[in-house]
Amino acid sequence: MTRDSWKDFALSGRVSDYLKYREQENRSSRQGAAVWTGGASDGTDNRADGHGIVSNACR
């Protein structure tokens, strides 16, 4: 589906077609991320220290 949107943009050159393409890209990447993380929220649930992706480097 995203390729069709890209083709539409490539043919027309309209900003609205590009925005439709980007919206579909973002939607598909979010869906892929939800599958990859098992549907968990943004990281703090999966880390032992509770900091998520950003963590303290203290030893």
Side-chain angles (χ1 to χ4, degrees), residues 2 5-8 12 31 47 56-57:
T2 339
S5 297
W6 179 256
K7 288 179 184 178
D8 291 343
S12 70
Q31 289 172 349
R47 295 279 306 220
N56 193 347

Side-chain angles (χ1 to χ4, degrees), residues 1-7 20-22 24-25 28:
M1 179 181 276
T2 339
R3 290 182 180 175
D4 293 336
S5 297
W6 179 256
K7 288 179 184 178
K20 286 180 189 176
Y21 163 73
R22 289 301 300 166
Q24 288 177 354
E25 273 289 309
S28 67

Side-chain angles (χ1 to χ4, degrees), residues 14-32:
R14 286 187 275 169
V15 173
S16 60
D17 288 338
Y18 177 74
L19 294 175
K20 286 180 189 176
Y21 163 73
R22 289 301 300 166
E23 181 180 329
Q24 288 177 354
E25 273 289 309
N26 289 338
R27 190 177 305 138
S28 67
S29 68
R30 281 193 302 255
Q31 289 172 349

Side-chain angles (χ1 to χ4, degrees), residues 42-47 49-55:
D42 291 336
T44 57
D45 298 337
N46 296 330
R47 295 279 306 220
D49 62 2
H51 292 294
I53 293 174
V54 178
S55 184

